[in-house]
Amino acid sequence: MNIENAKSQMRKGMLEYCILLILKERAAYASDIIQNLKEANLLVVEGTLYPLLTRLKNDGVLAYEWQESSQGPPRKYYKLTDAGHTLLLQLDGAWRELENTVHLLKDRN
């Protein structure tokens, strides 16, 4: 088994949840989202993030608003919709279940 491949698959599975966690309190620009993920040691490139943000927006989980920028053209800021907040609560529950399962299995031995 290739550990890097396994780690990559784990990160992909968590990415959507992590994005929603970042947007839980406030809207954010895509590069701010990437920076938050990097600070949490979850490395993501724009080519991965933008399609995911578009899919979440199309699913009604995210919305965006344009905000003026002092450093160039207006920027698109993403925020959670009501459906996004609901999904985040559901993902919180799913994460707790997975975490409990892993702890139970690790502690069994």
Side-chain angles (χ1 to χ4, degrees), residues 1-2 8 18-19 21-22 38 40 48 56 63 72 87 91 95:
M1 172 185 250
N2 179 336
S8 175
C18 291
I19 290 169
L21 288 170
I22 291 168
K38 284 182 182 177
T48 300
L56 291 170
L87 177 59
L91 289 173
W95 177 255

Side-chain angles (χ1 to χ4, degrees), residues 93-105:
W95 177 255
R96 280 190 300 277
E97 288 175 17
L98 286 169
E99 187 177 40
N100 287 337
T101 299
V102 170
H103 284 296
L104 284 170
L105 292 171

Side-chain angles (χ1 to χ4, degrees), residues 20-100:
L20 297 183
L21 288 170
I22 291 168
L23 297 174
K24 179 180 179 181
E25 299 299 325
R26 63 179 176 82
Y29 182 56
S31 54
D32 294 333
I33 296 169
I34 290 173
Q35 183 61 36
N36 276 273
L37 293 169
K38 284 182 182 177
E39 289 170 3
N41 294 319
L42 186 60
L43 301 178
V44 176
V45 295
E46 290 180 4
T48 300
L49 181 65
Y50 281 107
L52 181 53
L53 291 174
T54 298
R55 184 177 59 76
L56 291 170
K57 188 241 177 226
N58 290 342
D59 290 346
V61 175
L62 298 181
Y64 63 81
E65 57 188 22
W66 291 97
Q67 294 183 13
E68 292 298 322
S69 170
S70 61
Q71 301 174 345
R75 294 179 172 181
K76 189 185 291 187
Y77 280 76
Y78 293 89
K79 62 183 179 178
L80 293 183
T81 62
D82 289 341
H85 284 284
T86 299
L87 177 59
L88 180 56
L89 289 174
Q90 293 169 337
L91 289 173
D92 282 337
W95 177 255
R96 280 190 300 277
E97 288 175 17
L98 286 169
E99 187 177 40
N100 287 337

